[in-house]
Amino acid sequence: MKKAIPIIHIIHLLLAPLCLNAAAPTTISTQPSYEEAFDQLAYNWTRTFAEVIQLAKKKHYKVADLEQSMIKAIDAFLTNLDPHSSFLDPKTYKSMLESTSGQFFGIGIVIDNTRKQKDKYLTIVDTIPDGPSDKAGIKPLDKIIEIDGTSLEGMSTEEATTKIKGPKNTTVHIKVLRENHPDLISFDIERDVIKEQNSMSFLIKDYNIYYISLNMFTENAVQQIENFLKKSNERPYKGLILDLRNNSGGLLHSAIDIAGLFLEKGSLVVVTKDKTGKVTEQYATRRDPIANAKMPLFILTNNYTASAAEILASCLKSHAQEHAQKQGHNQKSLVFLVGTSSFGKGSVQEVIPVGNNCAAKITTTLYFPNNRNIQGEGITPDFLVERCLPPTEQMQWFTKHYGRESALNNSIKTGTQTEEKPAEPAAKKGPTRWTERAKEMLKTDNQLRETISLINLLQTFLTLCPEKVCDCTKAVEQLRNAHIGNNSLEIEEIKL
């Protein structure tokens, strides 16, 4: 019987060719190159790693699952390189392949991609309209802490999403934390086909403004935006609002095709550059635009606006600025960003198959929308407007019962005042359509309201003094002077 070769010897044999250059004698003392230094470090530390494995085999009381330990060790190496690189085990890799080919079934949620592996929960940013979670009563900002009895502590986001997905008509059991709710809430949600209703559009009648939100960039999203723009072109209107809040990205070519609906054919959308700064790919629009270039476009962003959504927003904004510089004074291509700074994900990940039916997801290049950097910086809005959430039930109660004369015992009532009657308990209703709930939320959305005010103000300037708002730069200056928003205030004391 042949004697087994120790692991440490196998790793040495594999890595020895990498280190020939570093080990070769030389008469000239030079600083080692990046490749040589990397190979030498990799050789030294993989030897240490192999020694530890051998020690565990020899000394550890019981190595229960060596395969999982190796998977987590490789994943730890990749996730230490950057937040978006990771190691995909066989199950996760298979699930990812199925999701990109459209053969997966899920519960219809948009998750927070900023989650770290040490986080004990997975935040739901939004639900897909009329999807399983939406119908079950899952709400935005619910935090999943358990999936099928397994805690999320120490679980990667890829693992969590894999556990959520599964065969059609099977059930996944999740527990969530909800703000202002004292107990955990359990849901049994049946997996189903996730319909690609990626956009939702409205006409804000009182102000003659069109609004469309986009939650993900897919094949279907392009056609939805195109249909919306054709519909808006049927009548005159004041402005258009494109809501990219909570949009974490999706297909790059979808963002390019949507950009083509607004920009001239052949306009540069984005380039990718490698670690040396060399351009590796560049993408331009491939069709004629259909959007009304004379209508101002206001894009809503927040810290969950990421990746392809940032590419589209940054690209449209920068082209509008360039167009104004080239064409001089005009009232075309007015594009403005409203809300808060975007996420700042400008990195490109490549999924590379490796042994044991696994894959390595590695950041290889960076995106530069219209040659502008967004990685780690995001996009700064022209008009900073923080989101103000509606008051909680507790705050509403305090407002009603404290801080008012009428709330005091035996307060004097005048003839014009009527005594408030206790509200009757609301009758239980069935789940309303997602679009109806969305309309109700938009009515109390302060960022949307601020944007409507900016569009009305811009229209006033365009009517009375168009030369002051003839391009994006001048328009932003005029609007900031007239609309305070969240601008900082310089206050000086007057001594009396």
Side-chain angles (χ1 to χ4, degrees):
M1 181 180 292
K2 292 184 178 180
K3 189 176 180 181
I5 302 175
I7 295 173
I8 187 169
H9 289 171
I10 294 173
I11 294 179
H12 275 187
L13 288 171
L14 291 171
L15 291 177
L18 299 175
C19 304
L20 291 177
N21 292 337
T26 179
T27 56
I28 302 173
S29 178
T30 58
Q31 193 75 14
S33 68
Y34 167 79
E35 288 78 9
E36 290 173 329
F38 185 96
D39 291 347
Q40 187 64 57
L41 276 172
Y43 179 78
N44 290 339
W45 281 101
T46 48
R47 181 178 63 183
T48 303
F49 182 54
E51 289 174 350
V52 172
I53 294 173
Q54 291 284 49
L55 280 172
K57 175 185 175 184
K58 184 178 180 181
K59 296 286 189 180
H60 193 273
Y61 174 73
K62 184 181 180 182
V63 179
D65 194 337
L66 179 61
E67 183 178 34
Q68 279 302 309
S69 297
M70 296 297 287
I71 287 171
K72 289 187 176 181
I74 300 171
D75 183 60
F77 165 71
L78 290 173
T79 54
N80 193 57
L81 300 178
D82 74 275
H84 304 291
S85 294
S86 63
F87 189 66
L88 308 180
D89 61 36
K91 187 177 179 181
T92 305
Y93 181 41
K94 181 182 178 183
S95 174
M96 189 213 69
L97 291 175
E98 289 174 348
S99 67
T100 54
S101 63
Q103 298 301 311
F104 82 99
F105 304 97
I107 62 174
I109 56 174
V110 180
I111 62 169
D112 174 13
N113 285 325
T114 67
R115 176 185 181 269
K116 298 178 177 63
Q117 188 161 327
K118 65 181 180 180
D119 292 343
K120 298 180 181 180
Y121 54 82
L122 180 65
T123 302
I124 297 171
V125 176
D126 208 347
T127 57
I128 303 299
D130 294 323
S133 292
D134 184 43
K135 293 175 181 176
I138 294 289
K139 295 182 178 181
L141 301 184
D142 279 352
K143 294 177 172 59
I144 299 175
I145 62 164
E146 188 178 289
I147 304 171
D148 283 336
T150 304
S151 168
L152 264 69
E153 185 173 6
M155 187 185 297
S156 69
T157 303
E158 282 86 359
E159 286 179 86
T161 53
T162 299
K163 288 182 73 66
I164 290 172
K165 297 171 185 174
K168 186 179 180 181
N169 298 329
T170 58
T171 300
V172 60
H173 178 79
I174 64 173
K175 288 184 179 179
V176 305
L177 284 170
R178 181 174 292 170
E179 189 177 358
N180 297 324
H181 198 283
D183 299 316
L184 296 178
I185 310 174
S186 296
F187 292 93
D188 289 307
I189 306 175
E190 190 174 285
R191 299 179 177 99
D192 200 355
V193 178
I194 306 304
K195 298 177 182 178
E196 284 193 344
Q197 184 183 338
N198 303 113
S199 65
M200 181 177 56
S201 55
F202 300 109
L203 171 63
I204 304 172
K205 286 186 176 181
D206 295 341
Y207 300 98
N208 194 22
I209 293 169
Y210 278 99
Y211 165 94
I212 186 165
S213 67
L214 185 63
N215 59 34
M216 190 173 291
F217 288 86
T218 65
E219 303 280 1
N220 206 26
V222 182
Q223 189 61 51
Q224 291 171 13
I225 298 289
E226 183 172 356
N227 293 342
F228 168 76
L229 290 174
K230 287 179 179 176
K231 183 79 70 175
S232 67
N233 287 339
E234 293 175 0
R235 51 172 288 173
Y237 59 96
K238 290 183 181 178
L240 188 151
I241 299 172
L242 174 60
D243 192 346
L244 295 181
R245 293 174 297 179
N246 302 333
N247 186 319
S248 59
L251 300 175
L252 174 62
H253 69 79
S254 173
I256 295 166
D257 289 341
I258 291 174
L261 298 172
F262 294 89
L263 302 174
E264 294 178 3
K265 186 176 180 180
S267 297
L268 180 65
V269 178
V270 64
V271 300
T272 59
K273 298 181 182 180
D274 62 17
K275 58 187 176 184
T276 67
K278 179 184 176 182
V279 174
T280 55
E281 297 283 351
Q282 56 182 10
Y283 304 90
T285 57
R286 299 165 290 189
R287 55 164 299 162
D288 293 320
I290 63 170
N292 186 344
K294 294 182 179 180
M295 288 296 106
L297 172 64
F298 285 73
I299 304 174
L300 283 168
T301 63
N302 66 2
N303 59 308
Y304 289 115
T305 303
S307 194
E310 292 177 287
I311 289 172
L312 179 63
S314 178
C315 167
L316 293 179
K317 174 66 181 178
S318 62
H319 272 289
Q321 292 172 324
E322 290 175 2
H323 187 272
Q325 292 171 356
K326 292 177 182 178
Q327 302 297 325
H329 297 325
N330 64 82
Q331 293 179 9
K332 289 186 177 182
S333 302
L334 293 176
V335 179
F336 309 95
L337 305 182
V338 183
T340 56
S341 295
S342 64
F343 182 67
K345 183 185 182 297
S347 58
V348 185
Q349 283 70 48
E350 187 176 347
V351 177
I352 306 169
V354 293
N356 292 319
N357 298 315
C358 298
K361 186 172 75 169
I362 300 178
T363 299
T364 54
T365 53
L366 296 183
Y367 285 125
F368 290 80
N370 198 22
N371 263 320
R372 285 166 168 76
N373 180 49
I374 60 171
Q375 172 59 30
E377 298 179 5
I379 314 167
T380 303
D382 299 305
F383 305 97
L384 177 63
V385 181
E386 297 284 352
R387 181 68 189 272
C388 299
L389 297 176
T392 63
E393 193 175 320
Q394 187 180 28
M395 282 301 301
Q396 290 176 16
W397 186 88
F398 272 102
T399 302
K400 179 179 179 182
H401 295 282
Y402 289 91
R404 295 178 184 273
E405 168 73 16
S406 59
L408 299 175
N409 290 335
N410 303 319
S411 64
I412 298 173
K413 305 290 191 297
T414 64
T416 58
Q417 293 171 319
T418 57
E419 189 174 344
E420 286 188 23
K421 295 181 180 179
E424 295 181 4
K428 289 188 177 180
K429 298 180 180 179
T432 56
R433 289 185 66 243
W434 190 83
T435 51
E436 294 302 317
R437 297 209 310 272
K439 282 197 285 187
E440 291 303 311
M441 288 189 290
L442 288 173
K443 288 177 182 178
T444 58
D445 187 335
N446 70 294
Q447 290 178 321
L448 176 64
R449 286 176 170 269
E450 294 279 3
T451 306
I452 293 171
S453 296
L454 287 166
I455 293 175
N456 286 332
L457 191 56
L458 177 62
Q459 285 299 320
T460 301
F461 282 127
L462 287 171
T463 303
L464 300 178
C465 47
E467 72 283 353
K468 292 187 176 181
V469 288
C470 57
D471 59 54
C472 289
T473 304
K474 290 187 175 183
V476 167
E477 183 181 354
Q478 289 298 321
L479 291 173
R480 282 179 179 171
N481 289 336
H483 184 271
I484 185 169
N486 286 129
N487 295 342
S488 60
L489 299 176
E490 186 177 343
I491 301 175
E492 181 181 343
E493 179 188 4
I494 297 177
K495 295 183 180 180
L496 303 177

